[in-house]
Amino acid sequence: MKVLETVLDLNRYLAPYHRAGKSIGLVPTMGSLHAGHLSLVATARADNDIVVMSIFVNPTQFAPGEDFEAYPRDLERDTELAAEAGVDAIFAPLTAELYPPGFSTFIDVVGVETSGMCAASRPGHFRGVTTVVDILLNLVRPARAYFGQKDAQQLAVIRRMASDLALVPEIVGCPIVREPDGLALSSRNAYLSPPERSAAPVLYQALRVARDAIESGQRSRDKIITMVEHHITAEPLAKLEYVEARNAAGQEAPSILTGEILLAVAARFGTSRLIDNIIVEIEET
Ligand code: PAF
C-alpha cells in the first residue's frame, strides 16, 4: 500500500489507472480509523478496481473553539488498519497541499440540507465539508465515493452538491456500524470518560424506543420527538442538543408521520458531541 503526501505523487500514482480505465473508489476520512471506516473500505473494495483513502483533518470544517487541534491523529495505526482492510493507497496531504496560499473558493450548499440539525450548532461546518470533498473528488476523480450514514446530514449535503454541480462520481452511503451495546462508532468516542461511555448508548436506545412506538402505530411526529427527548434527558450525563424527524427530501417530517423518516439526535457527553440516527420506513395505510 502506498502512502502519498502530495498532489504530485497522487497524480503520478493514479495516472496509469485512469489511462487504463480502471474504476477508483474513494473513501474520504479524517483518520482515527474504526470499523465504520473499514466497512466503507470493504464496500469500496467490492465495487472498484482500486481503493484510495484520504486521511486529512480538514481545518475548514471546524468552527473556532471546536476540537480541530485535539482531534485524534495516528497515521501509523491508520496506515496499518487501511492496509489490512485492502486499501491500495492513502492520500494524507499537509494542509497547504489542499489549501495553498491564496485559496479563496468555497462550496456552500444553501438548501434544506444545511438548515437546522448540526448546521445550527456548527456554523460553516458543511461549507468546509463540501469544499474539501469537492477538492478530493477533483484530485482523485473516482468512479464512486463512500460516506457513512451516521453523518446523515453530511451525506444529504454531499448528495445535494453532487447533484447540483453534476459531479461525475457516484456518492454511496453506507450503513452505521455500532458497538455491541448500540453506540454508533465515531472517532469522537475516544474522548469519552468511562462513565460517559456507559451513558452514550442512550442515544440509540432512545431512537429504538421511537422506532418501536412507530412500529406499534404511533404516527405523531411531536409525540415521537418528545419521547426521544425524554429518554435522552433522563440520562444525567447527556446534554441534549437536538432531536429531529425529517422526510426523505430532508424537510421537517409531516406532523402525521408517513413514508421514509430520518430520526436524528445530537447530544454532548462531557466534551464529546455525539450524533446518531435511524431511518424508519412507514407504510402508507
Ligand atoms: O466524515 C468525515 O470524516 C469528514 O467530514 C470528511 C467527509 C472526510 C470530510 O473532511
Side-chain angles (χ1 to χ4, degrees), residues 27-31 37 54 56-58 61-62 71 125 128-130 132-133 136 146-148 151 154 158 187:
V27 180
T29 79
M30 299 205 299
H37 298 112
S54 59
F56 180 66
V57 184
N58 173 35
Q61 68 187 77
F62 290 80
Y71 197 84
H125 169 66
V129 169
T130 40
V132 80
V133 168
L136 291 167
Y146 296 80
F147 300 89
D151 299 300
Q154 168 173 282
I158 291 170
S187 305

Side-chain angles (χ1 to χ4, degrees), residues 177-234:
V177 179
R178 298 182 179 282
E179 299 281 5
D181 62 6
L183 177 64
L185 295 191
S186 162
S187 305
R188 292 191 166 95
N189 294 350
Y191 305 147
L192 296 169
S193 68
E196 288 159 3
R197 172 63 190 80
S198 305
V202 72
L203 299 184
Y204 186 49
Q205 286 155 11
L207 292 169
R208 285 180 51 184
V209 166
R211 183 173 58 198
D212 290 349
I214 292 171
E215 283 170 0
S216 307
Q218 180 57 263
R219 292 287 178 271
S220 159
R221 179 195 63 217
D222 292 351
K223 285 201 172 127
I224 289 292
I225 288 179
T226 306
M227 197 178 286
V228 177
E229 285 172 351
H230 281 167
H231 200 95
I232 296 174
T233 51

Side-chain angles (χ1 to χ4, degrees), residues 24-46:
I24 299 168
L26 172 65
V27 180
T29 79
M30 299 205 299
S32 186
L33 300 181
H34 52 64
H37 298 112
L38 304 180
S39 80
L40 303 181
V41 172
T43 310
R45 190 66 282 158

